[in-house]
Amino acid sequence: EKPLGLSPEDVAEVIAVQQASGRVVVVGMNNRYRDDSILLKRFIEEGTLGKIFFARATWLRRRERVRPAEWQYQREMSGGGVFMDLGIQLLDLSLWLAGYPEPERATATYYHHTPEIEVEDSAIVMLGCVDGLTTTIDVSWRFLMEPEEQSLAVFGTDGSGILTSLGGGAAQPQLRVFRREHGSL
């Protein structure tokens, strides 16, 4: 499951056990294994969308009843709040699709509007990479809105691709690709 560890020491311990055992360790980032994600990665790798310069990811959940005793609301068990729960999956998918560009700078704003929990309930993160890719990630457990909104869009010089329903919500997963062909979109 994600994350691999809650501290550098936890991660080092997992890596040491993996190396000693000779086994393969994979963090459970299941969005990489979806057919639509794999197809979008192929479009990117083949250059169909041109050079990817921007990715925008969103996973917003409607505020329902909060149960403070659940693990994701406790810093010691979760390592953080909504970004560790939902955002880390979007960050992983964005970087995986883009071929793991080297991060250069990050800016984050975390919100803690639910006093009965220990961790942030909303976050906005922007990551800039050396190759020019900028990624924004918006996540929340708190919004008063439709039950759930999930999407990841990548924008390139020659086209864009949009994945929806990333977290297995009620909506059917969908991939849409846009580019100009023969003078029209």
Side-chain angles (χ1 to χ4, degrees), residues 30-31 34 36-37 58-61 86 89-90 93 147-151 163-174:
N30 59 324
N31 284 315
R34 293 169 36 141
D36 52 356
S37 298
T58 300
W59 194 342
L60 307 175
R61 288 187 172 163
L86 306 179
Q89 297 176 64
L90 298 177
L93 186 58
E148 198 156 3
E149 178 184 328
Q150 306 162 10
S151 66
L163 295 168
T164 57
S165 297
L166 297 170
Q172 194 66 5
Q174 185 178 34

Side-chain angles (χ1 to χ4, degrees), residues 61-94:
R61 288 187 172 163
R62 176 169 52 198
R63 180 173 180 179
E64 300 289 344
R65 192 169 139 223
V66 175
R67 295 176 182 90
E70 290 184 7
W71 69 269
Q72 70 263 38
Y73 301 133
Q74 299 177 40
R75 185 171 310 283
E76 188 175 308
M77 293 180 72
S78 65
V82 70
F83 195 81
M84 289 294 282
D85 184 31
L86 306 179
I88 208 79
Q89 297 176 64
L90 298 177
L91 177 61
D92 175 76
L93 186 58
S94 299

